[in-house]
């Protein structure tokens, strides 16, 4: 089901106003009035982000052997130069044999991979930017045959058997403890390397989300059954991470209703259920929630309160009182599809105004705005938006997935 992009706001003309420090390293700069709320600073841990734009985590499969290369360093540096206030790295795998599910995904453990990440952090900081890694375990998405050890199956809350072969094994308590410890170690390493926080990947059908979702979690122990039990694994990870890092080192938690295998899936059917998931996570130490939707403007629970227009980001902010990152088709006229990775046919997604996103932020629906594909095709997207030059944005097409540095 596709829902139309909201109509552009009336005031999309480039009326310059001046706000301070709109851009890392460049000081005061005129900002198109229609998007000015996006170019206000934001307190984040020990630092202040120059603006509200966040590069969404995007897997790029360009780190052979799990080690970020010079091109990966240049790729992130280029996005900071393009004016994004906070970068979230592509998913990077924690130290567990089944954490990875795809080729050439960067690891977040081992001397060589961490040294590569250190070079990324240093390059981003040298440009005046801020960066956090997205810490990832793919859970049931892994299949035997994938690197680093092809003999290792997927791990998840419940086993999956395909053609008589167990492709995903049900995690024991020892497996659960090992994954929690690996998340905590990765977060501690992130702080040691100089990252400005860490994001936990709790979305899209990967390990944390596999526990949330009743379709993939059929356990009968303390980690399955009730919503509280299905949230327990995530809460224990957050608690362990919180204990492993400094109190002012921000923990961002990304979650979604949708899964790669089912865009209409839901972990919370009602706002009340959402609160039962998010409240314990906030209590365990999450500082910022990153609400992954495919279209940031869609009502999350249209039947709630007799027809609520509120988005998942707005509900999350209201239920937890925590800062929220919204994301999903910002500045684009087409929703993110997992199938785009496999589809070799060229396709293009047109740039659109982001005035409405700026208004939603100003209204208090969310605090930060994640941008994904628009930044792959055009690293200068943020500067062009700031300057009211959306017409000059390079449209996203599939070819952008093949290149790292533009
Ligand atoms: C190439 C690509 C790779 C992605 N990899 C990840 C990932 O590693 N982790 C994650 O949480 N989301 C990932 N996503 C989802 C994005 O973070 C984002 O939520 C999605 O693209 C919607 O934002 P957009 O419409 O601005 O592109 C990926 C998206 C794309 C296009």
């Amino acid at each position: 089901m596709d829902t139309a992009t909201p109509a552009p706001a009336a005031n999309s003309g480039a009326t310059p106003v001046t706000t301070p420090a709109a851009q890392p390293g460049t000081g005061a700069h005129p900002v198109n009035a229609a998007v000015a709320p996006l170019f206000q600073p934001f307190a984040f841990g020990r630092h202040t982000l120059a603006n509200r734009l966040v590069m969404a985590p995007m897997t790029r499969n360009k780190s052979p052997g799990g080690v970020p290369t010079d091109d990966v360093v240049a790729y992130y540096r280029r996005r900071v130069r393009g004016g994004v206030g906070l970068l979230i790295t592509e998913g990077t795998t924690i130290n567990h044999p089944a954490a990875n599910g795809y080729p050439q995904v960067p690891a977040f453990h081992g001397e060589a991979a961490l040294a590569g990440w250190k070079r990324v952090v240093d390059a981003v900081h040298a440009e005046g930017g801020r960066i956090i890694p997205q810490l990832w375990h793919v859970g049931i998405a892994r299949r035997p045959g994938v690197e680093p050890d092809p003999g290792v199956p997927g791990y998840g809350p419940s086993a999956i058997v395909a053609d008589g072969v167990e492709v995903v094994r049900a995690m024991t308590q020892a497996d659960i403890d090992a994954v929690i410890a690996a998340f905590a170690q990765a977060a501690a390493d992130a702080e040691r390397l100089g990252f400005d926080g860490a994001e936990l990947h709790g979305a899209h059908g990967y390990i944390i989300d596999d526990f949330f979702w009743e379709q993939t979690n059929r356990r009968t122990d303390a980690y399955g059954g009730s919503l509280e039990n299905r949230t327990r694994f995530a809460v224990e990870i957050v608690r362990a991470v919180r204990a492993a890092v400094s109190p002012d080192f921000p923990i961002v938690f990304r979650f979604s209703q949708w899964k790669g295998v089912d865009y209409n899936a839901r972990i919370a059917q009602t706002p009340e259920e959402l609160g039962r998931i998010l409240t314990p996570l906030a209590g365990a130490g999450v500082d910022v929630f990153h609400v992954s939707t495919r279209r940031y403007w869609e009502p999350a629970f249209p039947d709630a309160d007799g027809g609520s227009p509120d988005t998942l980001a707005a509900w999350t902010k209201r239920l937890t009182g925590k800062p929220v990152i919204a994301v999903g088709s910002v500045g684009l006229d087409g929703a993110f599809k997992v199938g785009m990775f496999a589809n070799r046919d060229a396709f293009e997604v047109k740039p659109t105004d982001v005035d409405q996103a700026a208004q939603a932020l100003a209204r208090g629906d969310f605090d930060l705005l994640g941008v994904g594909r628009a930044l792959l095709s055009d690293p200068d997207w943020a500067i062009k938006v700031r300057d009211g030059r959306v017409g000059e944005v390079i449209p996203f097409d599939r070819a952008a997935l093949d290149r790292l540095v533009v």
Side-chain angles (χ1 to χ4, degrees):
M1 179 194 78
D2 258 29
T3 307
T5 308
N11 59 341
S12 54
T15 313
V17 296
T18 299
T19 59
Q23 186 73 35
T26 60
H29 194 285
V31 175
N32 174 16
V35 295
L38 299 175
F39 291 88
Q40 298 298 315
F42 185 76
F44 186 74
R46 293 161 215 160
H47 304 288
T48 300
L49 306 179
N51 59 53
R52 306 301 183 93
L53 298 172
V54 177
M55 180 173 170
M58 284 176 285
T59 293
R60 302 310 315 273
N61 309 96
K62 305 271 192 210
S63 296
V67 179
T69 61
D70 287 349
D71 274 356
V72 172
V73 175
Y75 163 73
Y76 288 111
R77 182 195 290 121
R78 182 69 186 85
R79 267 68 199 174
V80 177
R81 283 192 182 152
V84 179
L86 175 68
L87 306 186
I88 305 177
T89 73
E90 59 205 289
T92 174
T93 55
I94 61 170
N95 189 10
H96 183 266
N100 185 32
Y102 308 97
Q104 300 196 20
V105 163
F108 208 78
H109 56 90
E111 216 171 296
L114 292 182
W117 280 121
K118 173 81 179 129
R119 291 172 50 239
V120 171
V121 175
D122 291 347
V124 168
H125 286 171
E127 298 289 336
R130 298 287 158 205
I131 182 165
I132 65 175
Q134 186 188 51
L135 306 178
W136 192 20
H137 187 304
V138 302
I140 67 167
R142 181 180 171 83
R143 289 291 177 272
V146 173
E147 59 187 70
D149 180 349
V152 173
Y155 279 45
S158 307
I160 298 178
V161 176
D163 298 330
V165 178
E166 189 179 79
V167 290
V168 173
R169 67 176 264 189
M171 290 165 71
T172 62
Q173 184 66 53
D175 295 330
I176 288 174
D177 294 344
V179 170
I180 292 171
F183 269 109
Q185 183 61 53
D189 287 339
E191 184 170 18
R192 185 172 52 81
L193 292 178
F195 278 99
D196 302 300
E199 172 166 293
L200 308 176
H201 195 341
H204 305 168
Y206 298 116
I207 202 160
I208 296 174
D209 198 27
D210 296 336
F211 276 79
F212 285 145
W213 198 29
E214 56 193 348
Q215 296 245 14
T216 43
N217 183 345
R218 300 182 308 279
R219 298 177 78 94
T220 52
D221 63 2
Y223 295 94
S226 69
L227 200 50
E228 285 67 25
N229 277 1
R230 284 182 274 125
T231 305
R232 188 181 309 280
F233 180 56
V235 168
E236 291 182 353
I237 290 171
V238 173
R239 227 180 256 145
V241 167
R242 185 77 279 164
V245 297
S246 303
D248 59 355
F249 186 75
I251 300 173
V252 180
F253 189 92
R254 190 174 223 220
F255 75 95
S256 64
Q257 297 271 41
W258 69 270
K259 323 291 161 214
V261 293
D262 182 356
Y263 291 149
N264 297 316
R266 285 172 163 231
I267 56 172
Q269 303 295 337
T270 62
E272 186 265 340
E273 287 190 359
L274 185 66
R276 281 162 60 201
I277 296 171
L278 300 181
T279 307
L281 289 170
V286 169
D287 296 297
V288 176
F289 284 100
H290 187 174
V291 182
S292 173
T293 61
R294 297 176 58 238
R295 302 174 188 86
Y296 78 89
W297 63 86
E298 285 183 348
F301 302 105
D303 299 332
D305 296 343
S308 164
D310 289 344
T311 61
L312 197 59
W315 278 109
T316 299
K317 201 162 153 56
R318 185 176 326 143
L319 289 165
T320 66
K322 298 285 183 188
V324 163
I325 308 171
V327 67
S329 305
V330 172
L332 299 174
D333 76 345
F336 170 71
K337 290 193 177 85
V338 175
M340 69 173 48
F341 299 109
N343 181 3
R344 301 306 302 183
D345 297 336
F347 70 93
E348 200 174 88
V349 183
K350 290 195 201 71
T352 65
D353 292 315
V354 291
D355 308 13
Q356 295 212 345
Q359 288 165 19
L361 187 144
R363 249 193 335 263
D365 286 0
F366 50 84
D367 303 275
L368 296 158
L369 187 63
V371 183
R373 290 164 294 160
L375 287 173
L376 294 184
S377 50
D378 194 340
D380 290 325
W381 181 86
I383 290 173
K384 291 176 181 172
V385 166
R386 180 195 66 188
D387 295 350
R389 293 188 286 127
V390 169
E392 294 173 32
V393 166
I394 301 165
F396 173 80
D397 67 27
R398 207 201 160 283
L401 298 177
D402 296 332
R403 314 183 281 266
L404 263 185
V405 191
V406 187

